[in-house]
Amino acid sequence: PLQQTQTILALALAREHTMPLYVAAGTYLNGLAKWRAGDRTGGLEEMRRGWTLLHENDCYLCEPFWGTQVAEANAAAGQVETGLEILRELIDSTEQSGQRWLDAELHRTRGELFLRTDPPNISASEQNFTKAVEIARSQQTKTFELRSAVGLARLWIRDGRAASVSEMLAPILADFDTGQDLPEIEQAQKLLRSLPGCSGF
């Protein structure tokens, strides 16, 4: 893919010119591109290596972004507890660093991962989805709010509480232009259409 090719070229230039931070970020992003292209083992390994290199260079800029991707990749590889531990540390560290811009996504991702534990931790998952919605609302990050609400709606449907979904999800969706090309809009509409009496969405 073009994105991966560009990342590889940038990484080669960074190595050639001895630019350690760019090598670290390039290593990570190349791993992420591999992961998304289907090379799960190699991609995750390179993401971890890039993340370690960033830390070795005392670089914690965008730390919530780097860490969230690694947590998700670990969970998808069957290492759910590792992913949850990474998220716990990230949430704790944002209180020290002040990097609060991805707080809603940290909690949303944590909610998703709690559903993958054996058995699924419904209570912890719901608490994190709810927290994510609250944070996104307070920060006025509408896409994060909708994304978190979709996760919460799916949990409620799965847990036999579908009656509460429309009241929670529909007002959030109403803030969006339904013509926007956002997967969260389509996901929310699909969930609402699946509910009795909500075929108009």
Side-chain angles (χ1 to χ4, degrees):
L2 178 60
Q3 182 183 22
Q4 189 172 353
T5 301
Q6 291 172 334
T7 304
I8 291 170
L9 289 172
L11 183 55
L13 284 171
R15 285 173 174 153
E16 180 184 345
H17 295 283
T18 319
M19 304 168 73
L21 285 179
Y22 285 91
V23 170
T27 299
Y28 180 99
L29 293 172
N30 191 50
L32 181 59
K34 284 182 178 180
W35 168 264
R36 290 179 173 171
D39 181 1
R40 297 306 176 94
T41 302
L44 176 55
E45 185 177 311
E46 199 159 348
M47 288 166 70
R48 286 172 173 161
R49 185 162 62 251
W51 200 28
T52 298
L53 287 171
L54 285 164
H55 293 166
E56 288 176 355
N57 283 277
D58 202 28
C59 179
Y60 293 87
L61 185 65
C62 300
E63 179 74 356
F65 168 79
W66 307 119
T68 300
Q69 304 290 327
V70 174
E72 288 183 310
N74 271 282
Q79 302 165 22
V80 178
E81 294 299 333
T82 299
L84 284 169
E85 179 60 19
I86 290 170
L87 291 169
R88 184 194 65 76
E89 291 176 356
L90 288 170
I91 290 168
D92 288 346
S93 69
T94 58
E95 296 178 6
Q96 304 297 323
S97 68
Q99 294 194 59
R100 312 307 295 260
W101 52 280
L102 208 62
D103 278 5
E105 280 291 273
L106 289 172
H107 284 279
R108 182 195 65 80
T109 305
R110 201 179 186 196
E112 296 286 0
L113 265 56
F114 272 122
L115 289 177
R116 298 190 195 181
T117 59
D118 187 17
N121 191 332
I122 301 297
S123 176
S125 179
E126 182 170 9
Q127 288 174 11
N128 278 275
F129 281 134
T130 302
K131 180 73 171 177
V133 171
E134 291 171 354
I135 292 170
R137 191 169 292 157
S138 70
Q139 294 181 341
Q140 298 184 337
T141 49
K142 291 293 184 181
T143 301
F144 288 170
E145 182 182 359
L146 181 59
R147 190 176 296 170
S148 302
V150 165
L152 184 57
R154 285 175 176 153
L155 182 149
W156 283 352
I157 292 171
R158 171 179 177 170
D159 200 39
R161 289 178 282 165
S164 303
V165 168
S166 180
E167 184 179 353
M168 182 271 299
L169 189 56
I172 298 173
L173 182 60
D175 286 337
F176 287 81
D177 176 356
T178 53
Q180 288 178 267
D181 186 21
L182 286 175
E184 293 82 6
I185 293 176
E186 183 179 349
Q187 291 162 10
Q189 290 173 328
K190 185 176 180 180
L191 284 172
L192 289 170
R193 285 195 298 268
S194 72
L195 303 174
C198 294
S199 58
F201 289 96

